[in-house]
Amino acid sequence: MVNELLARLGLAAENSGVFTRRWVENPGGEWLESINPSDGKVLGRVRAGSRRDYEECVAAGQEAFQNLSRRPAPARGELIREFGNALRERKHDLGLLITLETGKILSEGLGEVQEMIDMCDFATGLSRQLYGLTLASERPEHRMMEQWHPLGKVGIITAFNFPAAVWAWNAVVAGVCGNASLWKPSPRTPLTAVAVLKILQPLLLRHEALGAATLFVGGNDPALWMAEDERLALVSATGSCAMGREIAPRVAARLGKVLLELGGNNALVVAPSANVELALRAVLFGAYGTAGQRCTTTRRLFLHQDIAHPFLDKLMKACGSIRIGNPWEEGVLLGPMISAAAVDKALEAVTQARREGGELLCGGKKIDRPGFFMEPTLIVASQAMPIVRQETFAPILYAIPYAKLEDAIEWNNSVEQGLASAIFTNHLLEAEKFLSSTGSDCGIVNVNIGTSGAEIGGAFGGEKATGGGREAGSDAWKAYMRRQTCTVNYGNVLPLAQGVRFDV
Ligand code: UN1
């Protein structure tokens, strides 16, 4: 199955991980093995780049930017429109590769490609809507306006869990804005990255835009090169808070821009008036979908004390009936985690939670089969337990009963991250309180919808240690452009602002 799939996507057992204006045949870095987390076997190998290869990527981007930035934005949008169509044609194959390389179930692998397609559609429309304002000048016969220009070259660092969609959030928007982008994917998912660039390559060629999107597969060091590289006007980085703490100060030291999408320790509140069936489904997808490895995964569940017991009973039953197995098989809902180390970390968290007084209701163990599988885990906890304020990237859910909504809101906000949050309630006042400025402090706040699975139309991202960045829809495009305030005098005198006189 694997070899045919790789061949259909233009991949081989051994691949170059560096695409500049062409595939660099023998990049100077080490060979990375892409492991199928469902069985621990090698899917294929990708050769990482060296510092020299990195320089070639940056040079190709520099040249492409000179050209791209002069093109009308709708012409750039046309390339992205065609890319969206190419993705539509390859949706199944690319989705399956994502499933093989990350372990997420096929429906989610396909969903990830759909997210890229949606981004292409959005960015194509955006290419005709990079609006600036016209402002009222205080001076007679003056016009004031804002224009938006491309930044230049943008670095994109992505994580294993969304090995293609998060690049698309950044790259296609950066592209219609007129930037060239350099992508460093997670070293765990290099095949998906190579496959994406192979789909894009003929379009870059046809549109004479080679260099507009380059790929550099590598480990952690190249992320630091990018952070320190003054030629990259913006570094967009998705990953752990620890990674953000390495990247952000380096970019700040050169006064560059960052766009950070880091961790989340997301909570979902179930109020007494909630539609229990809806809440249950949202919790199951939020906590155990993608094997708990989304930045938006539901990690904490605040249950009102009046409904906590019956809700936990239902949740326990549902937890026990989640089908675990090969993620490409129909009906399977929980595939493997990304690595053996990830499973070990999850097991450590379970041990710590129990030591701190948590009651294990479901799961908690590694599954005895090839690959890196962990049972969906449900632990009754309390706000006093330190582990609940720690983000463990795993299918572990801490359920905590609450008495007053104010407490649930305070607990929601008591973690260092501020990404996603949700409340299930049919009580208008509770919903509004959760959404208000004294409610959830997260970047994403939902009512009767879980914490994960956002649409691309909104601006995606979070506050506090999540990094403050916003990507994908709404006006997130502004992060990839520089704003220019322009004032034009069409009169014959030179009045000064604020009534200042300077008559010589
Ligand atoms: C991530 O896990 O880094 O809202 C992104 C969601 C997805 C994106 C998650 N659309 O869960």
Side-chain angles (χ1 to χ4, degrees), residues 115 159 161-162 166 169 238 261-262 285 293-297 393 419 444 451-456 460:
E115 194 159 341
N161 64 335
F162 275 82
V166 171
W169 291 357
T238 303
E261 202 257 282
L262 309 173
F285 176 64
Q293 300 173 114
R294 286 192 191 215
C295 55
T296 49
T297 290
F393 219 57
L419 181 54
I444 295 170
T451 60
S452 68
E455 306 175 16
I456 59 98
F460 181 94

Side-chain angles (χ1 to χ4, degrees), residues 123-134:
T124 303
L126 192 61
S127 71
R128 292 179 186 269
Q129 301 176 74
L130 303 170
Y131 299 136
L133 295 173
T134 304

